[in-house]
Amino acid sequence: MIIHVILLLVGLFLILSGANFLTDGAAALAKRFNISSLVIGLTIVAFGTSAPELTVSVVSAINGSAELAIGNVVGSNIFNILMIVGVTAVVAPIRITRGTLTKEIPLAILSSVVVLICANDLFLGTGTENVINRADGLLMLCFFLIFLGYTFAIAHNHSDGESAEIKTLPVWRCVVYIVGGLAALIFGGRLFVDGSSEIARSLGVGESIIGLTLVAMGTSLPELATSVVAALKKNPEIAIGNVIGSNLFNVFFVLGASATISPLPLGGITNFDLLYLLGASLLMFFVGKYHKVRMITRTEGIVMIATYVVYTGYLIYQL
């Protein structure tokens, strides 16, 4: 067990470090080709924060660990909404813009609905088992392209906003960062998935539980760090955009790509988990809409954290 825990921690360290190096190298290289900071921020930097989820889910799909792949995405999205937004709101109340409340958060709700529909073949009478198949995966990737187009359109209309801060690096270092980052992501992803799977077997629990909790929390560390730092710097609003962007990326790209590589039977992932994700998305909408000034207060942040603790407690109780 100790060896597997060490493998998991080493894998997580490599994944987080690899994502950071890959993002820095790719962004610096793109900057040298005169690609705007805004475009880099919307693509490379956004990809970098979700690279851990992508790595773990794709490796899990390739290895045949479907429950780990789906649990990682669903668990990460629940953690993002309830814990990251909740903790950020406790540090500093979050103001929400009208556009975020009427456009971005509804997109997050839509992504939860899409997963719920795609995962209910038995209820809908479209299959003999609940599985997110290649057709579902391709549909999610189409949604991702629409979301990407929407993001660029919004950015074009707000081109005077704050751009991504990008390091200036020599070309050789950019290449080293990119190659090294990719290698760390791939190797770390394998270690992390293998360690998680073995821990699940050692504890006698399903991979779905490990994916929804331990793996989800680990791969969401970049988003948590980014949001808390933003709150400490008196910019807690960044947390909402960070969480929504990550959740949409996780469902439409990470889960879509994983299902396209290999169909993903749900196994131990139940409608309770999927409905909890939908409920968390709706909760984020309603707590933001409750005040006339569109704000998530510290009290509401505590409620969101408590809601996540209840969910995790339920999963542990089910063991």
Side-chain angles (χ1 to χ4, degrees), residues 3 11 21 61 64 81 113 115 131 163 192 199 201 214 226 268 316:
I3 294 176
F21 280 113
I81 294 171
V113 173
V115 177
V131 57
S163 61
F192 192 82
I199 289 173
R201 294 189 186 98
L214 183 63
T226 300
I316 295 173

Side-chain angles (χ1 to χ4, degrees), residues 4 7-8 59 63 68 189-199 201:
H4 300 319
L7 286 177
L8 184 143
V59 171
N63 289 355
L68 204 58
R190 288 195 172 277
L191 288 179
F192 192 82
V193 171
D194 290 344
S196 302
S197 300
E198 291 301 327
I199 289 173
R201 294 189 186 98

Side-chain angles (χ1 to χ4, degrees), residues 3-16 51-65 68 181-199 201 207 215 219 261:
I3 294 176
H4 300 319
V5 171
I6 292 173
L7 286 177
L8 184 143
L9 293 175
V10 171
L12 179 60
F13 173 77
L14 288 173
I15 289 172
L16 298 180
E53 287 90 345
L54 178 63
T55 303
V56 170
S57 289
V58 168
V59 171
S60 298
I62 294 172
N63 289 355
S65 300
L68 204 58
L182 283 172
L185 280 172
I186 294 169
F187 185 62
R190 288 195 172 277
L191 288 179
F192 192 82
V193 171
D194 290 344
S196 302
S197 300
E198 291 301 327
I199 289 173
R201 294 189 186 98
E207 289 183 350
V215 175
T219 56
I261 291 171

Side-chain angles (χ1 to χ4, degrees), residues 38-307:
L38 184 60
V39 172
I40 293 171
L42 290 172
T43 55
I44 297 173
V45 176
F47 169 84
T49 57
S50 289
E53 287 90 345
L54 178 63
T55 303
V56 170
S57 289
V58 168
V59 171
S60 298
I62 294 172
N63 289 355
S65 300
E67 293 180 39
L68 204 58
I70 302 174
N72 176 36
V73 169
V74 174
S76 290
N77 283 14
I78 293 173
F79 183 86
N80 286 351
I81 294 171
L82 298 179
M83 279 299 289
I84 293 181
V85 174
V87 169
T88 305
V90 169
V91 174
I94 305 170
R95 290 186 180 274
I96 301 177
T97 65
R98 183 180 299 275
T100 297
L101 190 64
T102 59
K103 296 176 182 176
E104 278 82 30
I105 294 180
L107 281 175
I109 296 172
L110 173 65
S111 71
S112 304
V113 173
V114 168
V115 177
L116 186 64
I117 292 174
C118 290
N120 270 282
D121 297 298
L122 286 175
F123 179 76
L124 297 174
T126 57
T128 57
E129 66 172 332
N130 289 329
V131 57
I132 299 179
N133 56 36
R134 286 192 173 92
D136 296 327
L138 291 170
L139 177 64
M140 291 176 183
L141 290 177
C142 290
F143 272 113
F144 177 70
L145 292 176
I146 294 172
F147 165 65
L148 205 59
Y150 167 79
T151 303
F152 277 107
I154 293 297
H156 179 73
N157 293 334
H158 298 82
S159 57
D160 57 338
E162 184 179 351
S163 61
E165 183 178 340
I166 301 166
K167 298 178 181 178
T168 302
L169 300 172
V171 174
W172 68 268
R173 186 174 292 181
C174 293
V175 174
V176 170
Y177 275 24
I178 292 170
V179 174
L182 283 172
L185 280 172
I186 294 169
F187 185 62
R190 288 195 172 277
L191 288 179
F192 192 82
V193 171
D194 290 344
S196 302
S197 300
E198 291 301 327
I199 289 173
R201 294 189 186 98
S202 299
L203 295 175
V205 301
E207 289 183 350
S208 59
I209 301 296
I210 297 295
L212 287 165
T213 55
L214 183 63
V215 175
M217 293 176 193
T219 56
S220 292
L221 286 178
E223 288 90 347
L224 178 60
T226 300
S227 297
V228 171
V229 168
L232 291 173
K233 291 182 177 180
K234 309 302 180 184
N235 293 309
E237 297 83 3
I238 292 176
I240 287 291
N242 186 31
V243 164
I244 294 173
S246 177
N247 281 19
L248 292 173
F249 192 99
N250 287 346
V251 170
F252 293 146
F253 187 72
V254 175
L255 193 57
S258 301
T260 301
I261 291 171
S262 176
L264 305 173
L266 262 73
I269 308 296
T270 66
N271 274 334
F272 173 80
D273 304 304
L274 301 179
L275 287 170
Y276 213 92
L277 172 58
L278 177 58
S281 302
L282 290 170
L283 177 63
M284 180 169 60
F285 175 80
F286 285 116
V287 296
K289 188 178 177 61
Y290 182 74
H291 298 281
K292 292 182 179 180
V293 292
R294 297 187 299 275
M295 175 182 288
I296 299 178
T297 65
R298 286 189 171 91
T299 301
E300 290 165 342
I302 292 172
V303 170
M304 296 177 84
I305 294 172
T307 305

